[in-house]
Amino acid sequence: MHFTRALRIQLIPSFFFGAIYPLAVLLILLHARSGLAETIYRSTDSHGRTLYSDIPTPAAKPLQPATPPARSKYRVTRVIDGDTIVLENNKRVRLLGINAPETGNRYHPGEPGGADAKKWLQGKLQGRSVYLEHDRQTHDHYKRMLAHLYLPDGEHINLSLVEKGLAIANLIPPNLLHANTLIRGQQRAETRKLGIWSMQHYQPRPLIKLTEKPFGWQRYRVKAKALKRNHRFSRLIISDNLDLSFANRDLALFPPLETYLNRPLEVRGWVSRRKNHFSIRIQHPSALIPY
């Protein structure tokens, strides 16, 4: 990566792996936000490499930096589970960038670690005031508010849950505020085998073919043998009835998908099913790890 007067930046394929790619884009956006460049443009060259520049070209698309979010203060009246709370105005809030194990209901059993995450969050937030920080989207399709939560002393609750292994980083574009911070927090928890990272239920398992849909978030070891594309999605084919699915609008976050072919991968996420076909949706590079 290099800077010139025009801020023309090229990311080579080997630079995409791990958390380095999101960090590079963040540096570009911070450069734009500083006033040195008003708008950053993204384009793809003839070799399929993604380029960023503050000089527009006919095929380039503008990439506007987000406005720094404001924070609002509310009192917490109830903790529903490890990643969902209720405020004094009866609004539900889903914590951004993370996912805690399910605590269970009449439709599904609880997942290991779900009760621990809820208990910790209750001890931290029940009856206390918190500051909410929003990202690009303020609500999800369930009409819950989406937010990062902070205590008056500055503690970032979303991050604390991840650092303690009580939740996993679950990054969904366009809400990537604090993405690198959450990834680093998760790496620390995983290295120290805290919480879910010590539980047998969440250890990586081989996955080649499925006959039944597994429940909940899991880690799988796979190898992609082919790549297929259509106008909306790109798919890494694992077997005749299993693939990894990427929305084409998210592909700028990833290296060329060809770099994932024929190599061992750990995929983290949820399996969906349509008739006899299974798929795992991948929305951020942190959910697909070469090893």
Side-chain angles (χ1 to χ4, degrees), residues 264-283:
L265 304 169
E266 181 182 315
V267 56
R268 300 174 173 184
W270 293 262
V271 176
S272 63
R273 179 176 186 174
R274 185 174 182 180
K275 295 183 179 180
N276 292 322
H277 190 86
F278 300 85
S279 185
I280 303 175
R281 177 74 178 274
I282 308 297
Q283 301 183 80

Side-chain angles (χ1 to χ4, degrees), residues 108-257:
H108 297 291
E111 297 175 281
D116 293 337
K118 179 178 179 178
K119 182 178 180 181
W120 183 89
L121 199 58
Q122 284 176 323
K124 277 285 183 180
L125 299 185
Q126 192 76 46
R128 298 187 66 182
S129 292
V130 294
Y131 291 91
L132 272 62
E133 179 184 60
H134 300 292
D135 202 345
R136 295 292 185 91
Q137 297 171 328
T138 58
H139 292 78
D140 65 10
H141 59 284
Y142 298 112
K143 298 184 178 180
R144 299 176 298 186
M145 295 175 67
L146 299 172
H148 289 270
L149 303 185
Y150 297 85
L151 291 180
D153 64 4
E155 181 178 357
H156 184 184
I157 294 298
N158 309 48
L159 176 60
S160 291
L161 282 160
V162 170
E163 287 182 322
K164 295 178 180 297
L166 297 170
I168 56 99
N170 183 37
L171 301 165
I172 303 175
N175 301 310
L176 299 179
L177 186 65
H178 308 306
N180 291 323
T181 299
L182 292 171
I183 290 170
R184 289 192 296 267
Q186 177 166 278
Q187 290 170 342
R188 290 191 292 270
E190 186 174 356
T191 299
R192 297 170 63 188
K193 299 188 183 302
L194 299 179
I196 66 172
W197 304 105
S198 68
M199 298 179 183
Q200 184 60 37
H201 181 79
Y202 299 109
Q203 298 310 301
R205 61 192 67 182
L207 185 63
I208 299 175
K209 191 172 184 178
L210 286 171
T211 57
E212 296 293 335
K213 175 185 171 183
F215 173 67
W217 181 87
Q218 291 288 342
R219 302 162 64 194
Y220 301 106
R221 296 199 184 281
V222 301
K223 184 179 288 188
K225 63 182 183 181
L227 173 62
K228 295 184 178 181
R229 302 182 188 270
N230 61 33
H231 68 287
R232 291 184 59 201
F233 291 95
S234 297
R235 302 179 189 276
L236 289 173
I237 307 303
I238 307 302
S239 66
D240 292 341
N241 77 332
L242 175 64
D243 65 52
L244 309 181
S245 173
F246 305 75
N248 290 338
R249 65 174 181 268
D250 296 334
L251 290 181
L253 293 170
F254 294 85
L257 296 186

Side-chain angles (χ1 to χ4, degrees), residues 21-42:
Y21 174 80
L23 179 59
V25 174
L26 177 61
L27 289 173
I28 297 166
L29 296 181
L30 288 176
H31 181 85
R33 190 177 295 168
S34 70
L36 296 176
E38 293 182 358
T39 304
I40 298 300
Y41 298 89
R42 180 175 63 203

